[in-house]
Amino acid sequence: MEPGQLALLIFAVAFLILVIFIGIFLMRLTRSLGVITLDVDTIARSSNEILGNANTLLNDVNGKVKKLDPTVQAMADLSETVSHLNSSVQNVTNRFSSAKSTASAGAGGVAAVVAKKATSAAMNKFKSKKTEV
């Protein structure tokens, strides 16, 4: 055998080994891609189920929020009413405090001022009825 034929034979054997290893690699790669494809399909189906469940849950929550909206609005209205009541009570308290400070000596506080005003109002009504008769 000549050196050129020997080199050609070594090259042919090396090329055959390379083709065999590439073939094995491609077969393993094909199997791996098949498994990955199945896994991706499973994940896609699961994600579709999850999205469907999320849609159902979101619709349920939206329905409950719609039912809850009037209650929240009523609470806001009640809060506003309480705020107005609070400011009215504060105004009345301030009036009585100023009336107490201007009341004559011997007045017994807010109750006395209220009693005095109620008495004078009653007397005025009584006088007006008396003049009508």
Side-chain angles (χ1 to χ4, degrees):
M1 222 182 223
E2 292 181 23
Q5 289 177 343
L6 185 63
L8 187 61
L9 184 63
I10 292 173
F11 177 74
V13 171
F15 187 72
L16 180 66
I17 292 173
L18 178 66
V19 168
I20 289 173
F21 280 124
I22 289 175
I24 292 171
F25 172 74
L26 288 177
M27 285 176 36
R28 287 185 179 176
L29 184 64
T30 304
R31 273 190 246 138
S32 297
L33 286 176
V35 170
I36 290 172
T37 303
L38 289 176
D39 289 344
V40 168
D41 287 342
T42 304
I43 290 170
R45 276 189 236 112
S46 297
S47 66
N48 284 339
E49 290 176 22
I50 290 170
L51 287 175
N53 290 340
N55 252 352
T56 304
L57 180 64
L58 185 62
N59 289 336
D60 185 43
V61 167
N62 283 339
K64 289 179 180 176
V65 165
K66 284 180 184 177
K67 287 180 183 178
L68 192 61
D69 276 346
T71 305
V72 171
Q73 184 61 41
M75 291 302 293
D77 293 344
L78 178 65
S79 173
E80 189 175 329
T81 303
V82 168
S83 178
H84 287 300
L85 178 65
N86 201 9
S87 66
S88 297
V89 167
Q90 195 173 27
N91 287 339
V92 168
T93 303
N94 288 339
R95 278 193 220 148
F96 283 142
S97 294
S98 65
K100 180 181 175 187
S101 64
T102 59
S104 63
V110 175
V113 172
V114 170
K116 185 176 180 183
K117 287 191 178 202
T119 304
S120 67
M123 289 301 289
N124 288 339
K125 276 189 178 183
F126 178 71
K127 286 179 185 177
S128 67
K129 282 187 179 183
K130 196 174 186 182
T131 57
E132 288 178 8
V133 176

